[in-house]
Amino acid sequence: MRESFNLALKSIWGNKMRSFLTMLGIIIGVAAVITLVSLVNGYMGYMTESFTSMGTNQINVNLMNMSTRFVTEEDMYDFYDEHQDIFIQMTPSVQVSGSVKAGSEQLSSTSVTGVSEEYADMKGYKMETGRFISYPDISTRQKVAVIGYFDACQYFGSPENAIGQKLKINGYAFFVIGVVQRQDEDELEEGGSDDFVLIPYSVACKMSRSSIPSNYTFATKDTSVSEEAADILETYLEEVYRNDDLYTVTAMSELLDSLNEMIAMMSLLLGGIAGISLLVAGVGVMNIMLVSVTERTREIGIRKALGARRSVIMQQFVIEAALTSVLGGLLGIALGSAISIVIGPMLLQTETPPTAGAVIISFGVSVAIGLIFGYMPASRAAKLNPIDALRSE
Amino acid sequence: MSKGSEIITNEISNTMDRSGDQTMDRTMDQTMYQTIDRKTAHLIEMTGICKFYEMGDETVRANDNINLIVEKGEFLSIVGKSGSGKSTLMNIIGALDVPTSGTYLLDGEDVGRMNDNQLADFRNRKIGFVFQQYNLLPKLTVQENVELPLLYAKVSRKERSERAMEALVRVGLESKASNMPNQLSGGQQQRVSIARALAGSPSILLADEPTGALDSRTSIQILEFFKQLNEEGNTVIMITHDSSIALQARRVARITDGTIDFDGKAEDYARII
């Protein structure tokens, strides 16, 4: 067996150019599979991460409150109290549209959202300075605001300076009572994750068109009870609204699941397409092996005359084919990995290291290709009649 | 063959010669060989060997009822024109092919009954091939070429190397062990081929037109070498179409249209051609 290996290596090395050209198909096929799968996985992973940062244990509820069918925040809080075993946090969420001014400067990109005192916990916000909105603020409708790190620095110089400063929201004066710790380590920019203004939802409701919040976010105990929680919410809302067009319950975990499914499908699809190129490469290997067998007919005849059994001849050629494929596979893996590591960040702004699964499968496939596509030519070689073989040129 | 039986056989041959009937010669010779030497096992015993092919509607009788006995230590040449069936016979002797009918015993083993793998093993152990076109593998060194039969015999690396070198010494080419075949002259390559044939200590050396690709001077050298090997005790069977080459052996068997029509001493053959 070892001799066959040595023989195969010698043969491959002896015909460097031809061996390389044969391998090329496999190299390209494997590199393609690895690059595509890694790129897709890397990007999707990045998207999942952003998703996850929004909280996979959260459930979003959107309501269309009608005059006859509606849910007030009190109703919601009652519901929340009744299901403390499942829900750990809840906040209404009221968007305020309008102008925000700090002194004479217009905060054009900043969103203003009315939230409850539990919002900070839900988002995992820690305070840089000052404090977050509290229940008394909400119940007494205080015009207080908590701002993001970017806004503090941009409009007030520093978080410390921002405390006590005035913000004019739609003409109303709000006092800054807290600045949230910096969220984005790399960039502080407009519209980024440090650019926001939070006010008590009770105040926001007063300022907006409808006086009852139409959006709530619940946090469940953990992701595993998300489905159950969503069901409970749906049941409750169904009772009130009687028409499921009037409300939407979205569990983040469900979204994440469907996203993961989609990633898996995409990977499979792309991998499959690239896999077709591997098939073609295999045919290339088989082709060259057939040529090789024909060229070496005389040699095979001599070996057989000297006592080589069919199995030995078979082994020689199958190993040669397999070795060619495996070498091609290894080179392809190296190439594909190099490309994923270099191109990914350039193209998609995120790290895309080679996916382990793709590497293993590609390697396995290249071995299989060598064995399968090497079998037929090897079989031909083994079955040669030594008398005829010796006669041929 | 014992000395005594040899003398008797020769006497009978001579008697038969005088009678002038060649066909009788052959049959009587064979019978004499067989009856006198039944006790000693022959190296090669071929009885009623036939090899027939179907070519369309016709049956080609490449070998038709061939009987041949070869003793250890003989130097036999099998001579015939092209198409005479000598190559077919050689293939059967060399266990590259099996006869359609008849028995072929070498060293007491029945070759006709063997399957593919058994034939391969048999060739490996018993037959030392020397081909016309040297047939050395161009990508292997001289030593590796000589080692090849030992490789297939699953001999250990060390022993392979030793035995191959011994064989190379025997043919006087040990200094060329690491060279590639294409660096050697025709005569040297043929000698490497002979070394390869000897390396496995086979029962017979089977040479197919061994001088076919060589010039006349080198041919003579190679034939002298075969004679030397024969004197050392090797059994040599040489296949050729050239009668002058055939005469270099001690016994000649002529094959015509699939049958042996002469089988006797080289001197006797010289007289009839």
Side-chain angles (χ1 to χ4, degrees):
Chain A
M1 185 67 149
R2 194 166 51 130
E3 294 297 338
S4 297
F5 247 87
N6 286 337
L7 227 56
L9 272 171
K10 251 207 202 155
S11 182
I12 293 175
W13 188 248
N15 260 325
K16 284 195 254 310
M17 187 49 140
R18 173 201 277 183
S19 304
F20 176 70
L21 286 173
T22 313
M23 279 186 224
L24 201 57
I26 307 229
I27 295 176
I28 293 179
V30 168
V33 169
I34 292 186
T35 305
L36 285 173
V37 172
S38 303
L39 248 50
V40 167
N41 269 343
Y43 188 66
M44 292 301 184
Y46 162 71
M47 283 190 57
T48 307
E49 246 182 65
S50 343
F51 234 76
T52 314
S53 67
M54 291 191 265
T56 44
N57 65 338
Q58 292 184 358
I59 301 184
N60 227 24
V61 179
N62 240 325
L63 306 169
M64 212 184 314
N65 286 313
M66 325 276 318
S67 52
T68 45
R69 298 181 222 157
F70 54 86
V71 171
T72 64
E73 72 269 23
E74 274 138 19
D75 296 329
M76 265 315 188
Y77 270 103
D78 285 341
F79 172 82
Y80 174 41
D81 288 334
E82 273 167 46
H83 293 95
Q84 290 281 299
D85 53 331
I86 298 212
F87 296 110
I88 51 169
Q89 282 140 3
M90 195 228 358
T91 178
S93 179
V94 185
Q95 289 298 123
V96 177
S97 52
S99 65
V100 187
K101 276 199 184 150
S104 53
E105 272 190 84
Q106 184 95 337
L107 277 63
S108 44
S109 62
T110 313
S111 58
V112 179
T113 321
V115 297
S116 78
E117 71 278 13
E118 292 197 291
Y119 187 77
D121 285 340
M122 289 179 78
K123 291 288 266 189
Y125 282 167
K126 299 262 182 324
M127 303 310 290
E128 179 70 26
T129 57
R131 65 169 179 87
F132 196 69
I133 295 166
S134 64
Y135 181 66
D137 295 329
I138 297 174
S139 56
T140 57
R141 298 214 186 90
Q142 292 296 308
K143 292 199 182 54
V144 291
V146 168
I147 60 176
Y149 200 86
F150 168 73
D151 298 290
C153 297
Q154 182 78 352
Y155 303 109
F156 302 109
S158 76
E160 295 70 35
N161 286 346
I163 306 293
Q165 298 291 331
K166 227 187 338 181
L167 271 179
K168 272 226 171 115
I169 305 180
N170 283 350
Y172 292 96
F174 283 74
F175 286 98
V176 177
I177 54 161
V179 177
V180 175
Q181 259 181 14
R182 188 173 170 154
Q183 298 297 298
D184 192 334
E185 288 309 312
D186 306 313
E187 317 240 5
L188 268 184
E189 52 183 5
E190 256 190 78
S193 40
D194 291 293
D195 183 5
F196 56 81
V197 173
L198 303 169
I199 62 177
Y201 72 85
S202 46
V203 181
C205 283
K206 268 263 144 95
M207 288 166 69
S208 77
R209 226 178 328 138
S210 70
S211 52
I212 4 182
S214 45
N215 196 297
Y216 297 84
T217 308
F218 287 82
T220 57
K221 194 167 55 168
D222 65 58
T223 320
S224 58
V225 300
S226 275
E227 217 184 302
E228 193 195 331
D231 285 340
I232 296 176
L233 267 168
E234 294 242 358
T235 318
Y236 171 65
L237 294 171
E238 163 74 38
E239 269 185 53
V240 177
Y241 290 96
R242 305 222 175 269
N243 178 353
D244 54 28
D245 288 334
L246 295 177
Y247 62 89
T248 329
V249 175
T250 318
M252 283 296 152
S253 63
E254 266 176 42
L255 283 183
L256 196 60
D257 282 345
S258 38
L259 187 65
N260 279 332
E261 261 180 52
M262 196 173 70
I263 297 174
M265 271 260 289
M266 281 277 282
S267 290
L268 222 62
L269 201 65
L270 282 172
I273 292 176
I276 292 180
S277 71
L278 274 177
L279 202 68
V280 175
V283 173
V285 167
M286 180 165 76
N287 213 22
I288 290 297
M289 290 311 296
L290 278 173
V291 170
S292 184
V293 166
T294 307
E295 272 185 1
R296 290 149 76 179
T297 303
R298 193 94 169 295
E299 178 193 325
I300 296 169
I302 298 172
R303 288 178 185 273
K304 285 191 145 207
L306 295 177
R309 290 188 173 201
R310 277 193 191 180
S311 55
V312 162
I313 303 284
M314 185 85 177
Q315 208 180 62
Q316 186 185 336
F317 282 91
V318 168
I319 289 185
E320 198 177 310
L323 215 55
T324 308
S325 296
V326 165
L327 285 172
L330 289 172
L331 287 173
I333 289 176
L335 187 62
S337 303
I339 295 183
S340 323
I341 293 178
V342 170
I343 302 285
M346 285 207 292
L347 219 56
L348 302 171
Q349 258 76 48
T350 177
E351 297 260 307
T352 50
T355 312
V359 170
I360 294 175
I361 292 185
S362 303
F363 185 78
V365 168
S366 48
V367 172
I369 283 182
L371 294 173
I372 294 174
F373 285 97
Y375 182 83
M376 195 270 262
S379 179
R380 275 258 191 114
K383 293 208 178 89
L384 281 176
N385 185 325
I387 300 173
D388 300 326
L390 283 165
R391 254 206 288 265
S392 79
E393 171 351 308
Chain B
M1 225 181 358
S2 68
K3 207 56 168 90
S5 52
E6 196 181 67
I7 295 172
I8 295 172
T9 324
N10 283 342
E11 282 299 352
I12 294 174
S13 290
N14 292 338
T15 323
M16 289 300 122
D17 271 352
R18 269 181 251 124
S19 80
D21 185 334
Q22 288 208 336
T23 324
M24 269 274 279
D25 268 357
R26 176 181 49 121
T27 327
M28 291 306 285
D29 275 352
Q30 305 293 28
T31 324
M32 286 306 112
Y33 277 55
Q34 279 162 10
T35 47
I36 288 170
D37 295 312
R38 201 180 314 183
K39 289 227 182 86
T40 328
H42 310 293
L43 181 62
I44 291 182
E45 199 174 324
M46 299 179 94
T47 328
I49 294 291
C50 295
K51 183 73 185 179
F52 298 153
Y53 300 102
E54 301 294 324
M55 292 270 274
D57 289 335
E58 305 222 337
T59 310
V60 176
R61 308 179 104 129
N63 283 168
D64 198 348
N65 197 24
I66 291 193
N67 299 296
L68 185 67
I69 294 197
V70 181
E71 308 297 343
K72 189 157 153 42
E74 286 206 56
F75 188 173
L76 162 72
S77 65
I78 298 178
V79 64
K81 295 189 301 209
S82 56
S84 57
K86 65 182 192 302
S87 300
T88 311
L89 184 59
M90 181 194 73
N91 289 336
I92 293 177
I93 294 176
L96 284 167
D97 201 359
V98 289
T100 316
S101 63
T103 335
Y104 170 25
L105 297 171
L106 190 150
D107 265 349
E109 294 186 51
D110 190 344
V111 185
R113 299 272 159 277
M114 293 185 179
N115 67 30
D116 209 65
N117 279 346
Q118 290 167 324
L119 283 173
D121 290 341
F122 186 81
R123 287 195 293 271
N124 182 254
R125 282 177 294 124
K126 303 284 183 179
I127 317 279
F129 281 103
V130 181
F131 301 104
Q132 178 177 350
Q133 301 285 351
Y134 340 126
N135 284 7
L136 300 176
L137 299 183
K139 296 222 172 79
L140 300 181
T141 64
V142 159
Q143 181 171 349
E144 284 168 341
N145 264 293
V146 176
E147 283 181 8
L148 206 50
L150 301 170
L151 179 69
Y152 291 133
K154 307 234 189 345
V155 171
S156 74
R157 184 175 279 234
K158 187 161 167 295
E159 199 186 329
R160 275 210 308 268
S161 182
E162 282 170 7
R163 285 168 69 172
M165 279 314 269
E166 267 176 47
L168 280 171
V169 166
R170 199 89 174 281
V171 304
L173 285 171
E174 68 276 17
S175 58
K176 303 280 185 192
S178 322
N179 288 53
M180 303 305 280
N182 60 12
Q183 295 172 321
L184 271 54
S185 71
Q188 288 173 323
Q189 287 187 46
Q190 190 59 301
R191 279 192 283 155
V192 172
S193 187
I194 296 173
R196 178 177 70 187
L198 288 170
S201 308
S203 299
I204 61 172
L205 284 175
L206 191 54
D208 181 14
E209 306 277 6
T211 57
L214 302 170
D215 62 59
S216 42
R217 197 168 58 91
T218 330
S219 297
I220 296 174
Q221 283 177 0
I222 293 291
L223 286 165
E224 283 304 315
F225 196 68
F226 273 124
K227 284 189 199 166
Q228 202 186 323
L229 286 173
N230 178 242
E231 266 152 45
E232 288 170 12
N234 293 292
T235 313
V236 181
I237 300 182
M238 194 166 60
I239 319 286
T240 181
H241 68 280
D242 186 335
S243 288
S244 58
I245 307 252
L247 286 171
Q248 299 296 312
R250 283 192 292 168
R251 171 180 165 200
V252 176
R254 183 174 69 182
I255 177 169
T256 309
D257 292 329
T259 55
I260 293 184
D261 60 0
F262 176 88
D263 185 357
K265 292 198 291 193
E267 304 91 76
D268 298 336
Y269 182 68
R271 266 179 255 142
I272 66 164
I273 53 166

